[in-house]
Amino acid sequence: MLWKKINIVFDISRSYNAISSNSGMAGVFNYEVNILTNIINSIYIYTIYLAAECDEDFFRSKICKQIKEYSRCKFINKNNLENIIKNIDAYVSFSLKIPEIIINHNIKNYLVIHDLLPLLHPDYYSSNKQKQLEAANFGKNVYDSINCNTTIITISENSKSDIEKYIIKDKQNKVVNLSSGINKNKFFKIKYI
């Protein structure tokens, strides 16, 4: 039996933003890197494209320098998805938005939502007024970018419950808790002596 290689595009905008702005590598960024690193290191029947709004030189010289596993993947600028659209089997976004081209072509897509902090507690999210304005649009932006082909992935049962209550309300999307995205080298069970 012949296996068809599955082409998956991962939106790595979070990695790009964290590395290009030197804003730190915590929270959602770590979740993105840990999930992708596990996939890159364990699955061989996939062709993995990493998409961001940068050029390939920045991707190879900056992003791959910090996240070595990414160098084993193909790169595409997020604005050029139409060049490979016919070959995409799935799209995974860590950046809270699925591009219209993916939605319009009915491609299976996965939206990773860490939590709803910007929506439920915008005052804790940031003291910056611009960030608070972005937080006010958070729920609408997510809601508008999901369709019947979208599965939402989150990090906890609490986040899953919040997403079902506040985001998908009348839509029939599947929400999955994938807490295994954590780095087991940093988080482990304490063994009692």
Side-chain angles (χ1 to χ4, degrees):
M1 173 194 225
L2 294 175
W3 291 89
K4 176 192 180 289
K5 230 177 195 189
I6 298 170
N7 298 307
I8 304 175
V9 176
F10 287 91
D11 180 337
I12 59 163
S13 295
R14 296 255 183 201
S15 294
Y16 166 67
N17 291 335
I19 291 169
S20 65
S21 68
N22 292 319
S23 63
M25 300 179 191
V28 179
F29 170 80
N30 279 328
Y31 191 71
E32 173 185 307
V33 171
N34 290 328
I35 288 174
L36 278 171
T37 300
N38 285 328
I39 290 170
I40 292 166
N41 287 333
S42 64
I43 298 175
Y44 301 105
I45 61 166
Y46 293 95
T47 299
I48 298 173
Y49 292 87
L50 301 179
E53 293 172 340
C54 63
D55 61 26
E56 187 158 3
D57 184 55
F58 183 91
F59 171 73
R60 299 278 172 213
S61 66
K62 303 287 187 197
I63 296 175
C64 293
K65 186 176 180 180
Q66 289 198 24
I67 310 163
K68 305 243 184 294
E69 290 84 0
Y70 285 16
S71 64
R72 295 172 36 207
C73 302
K74 294 183 178 189
F75 173 78
I76 186 156
N77 182 291
K78 205 165 138 179
N79 297 317
N80 296 328
L81 289 172
E82 70 275 357
N83 296 341
I84 62 166
I85 197 70
K86 291 181 180 165
N87 298 324
I88 299 174
D89 297 304
Y91 187 91
V92 181
S93 176
F94 295 88
S95 66
L96 303 176
K97 185 137 180 70
I98 304 295
E100 278 188 44
I101 191 168
I102 300 298
I103 292 170
N104 293 341
H105 282 81
N106 292 319
I107 293 170
K108 182 67 184 157
N109 58 81
Y110 301 85
L111 185 62
V112 181
I113 302 175
H114 191 266
D115 59 37
L116 296 185
L117 185 64
L119 177 67
L120 301 178
H121 302 286
D123 48 322
Y124 297 147
Y125 180 65
S126 176
S127 60
N128 177 302
K129 292 294 179 195
Q130 179 62 31
K131 289 277 189 189
Q132 287 182 352
L133 184 60
E134 290 171 15
N137 293 320
F138 173 86
K140 181 183 181 330
N141 291 341
V142 171
Y143 183 84
D144 289 348
S145 76
I146 59 177
N147 67 6
C148 63
N149 292 313
T150 306
T151 297
I152 298 172
I153 300 169
T154 192
I155 63 159
S156 70
E157 286 300 317
N158 186 62
S159 291
K160 178 181 175 184
S161 176
D162 286 346
I163 291 164
E164 290 171 339
K165 183 176 179 181
Y166 296 106
I167 299 293
I168 64 171
K169 299 178 234 176
D170 59 340
K171 295 189 177 188
Q172 299 300 314
N173 298 83
K174 185 176 182 182
V175 181
V176 177
N177 170 12
L178 187 63
S179 56
S180 61
I182 63 169
N183 182 335
K184 292 186 170 71
N185 294 324
K186 293 181 182 178
F187 299 96
F188 51 89
K189 289 184 178 181
I190 297 173
K191 295 182 180 176
Y192 295 98
I193 298 176

